[in-house]
Amino acid sequence: QVQLVESGGGSVPAGGSLKLACVASGFTMTSGCMRWFHQAPGKKREGVATIYSSRTTYYSDSVQGRFTISLDDVKNTLYLVMNDLKPDDTGVYTCAADYSAMRCVASQHAYWGVGTRVTVSA
């Protein structure tokens, strides 16, 4: 059984930083593709950062240059370092994983965490 558990959310002022973590059990992150999603209040969920088993990364325009996605092989943990946070970054951050690159591209990941909440005050 696959479980993804996020942590690290919290409340910070604009310009602050947070580091989110997503610990996987039953899923080998180094063999799959993982994405962090952001759902702002009242808005659709959107992917903000993706990493593949090749360690290739992609970012949405809204976080490019501010967020960094990475993997810890030993801990089987996905991270998202968020710097220079803005009020628009407020919302729930969820990690998702899949072994299929095609499903990853389509944001149809098989496995999802429940999310961690981030609040950025102006």
Side-chain angles (χ1 to χ4, degrees), residues 23-98:
V23 179
S25 57
F27 183 92
T28 304
M29 285 188 167
T30 53
S31 299
C33 52
M34 280 66 61
R35 182 171 295 168
W36 283 100
F37 287 83
H38 168 228
Q39 185 165 23
K43 295 190 177 180
K44 289 176 60 176
R45 183 171 58 195
E46 63 170 2
V48 295
T50 303
I51 187 166
Y52 289 90
S53 56
S54 63
R55 301 305 170 102
T56 301
T57 58
Y58 296 94
Y59 299 94
S60 67
D61 289 344
S62 63
V63 308
Q64 179 74 48
R66 300 188 298 121
F67 290 10
T68 303
I69 188 171
S70 64
L71 281 174
D72 183 317
D73 296 5
V74 175
K75 296 181 179 180
N76 205 35
T77 299
L78 177 72
Y79 295 103
L80 184 68
V81 174
M82 306 188 294
N83 294 321
D84 190 23
L85 283 160
K86 306 177 186 302
D88 284 349
D89 296 321
T90 293
V92 177
Y93 286 79
T94 307
C95 65
D98 206 297

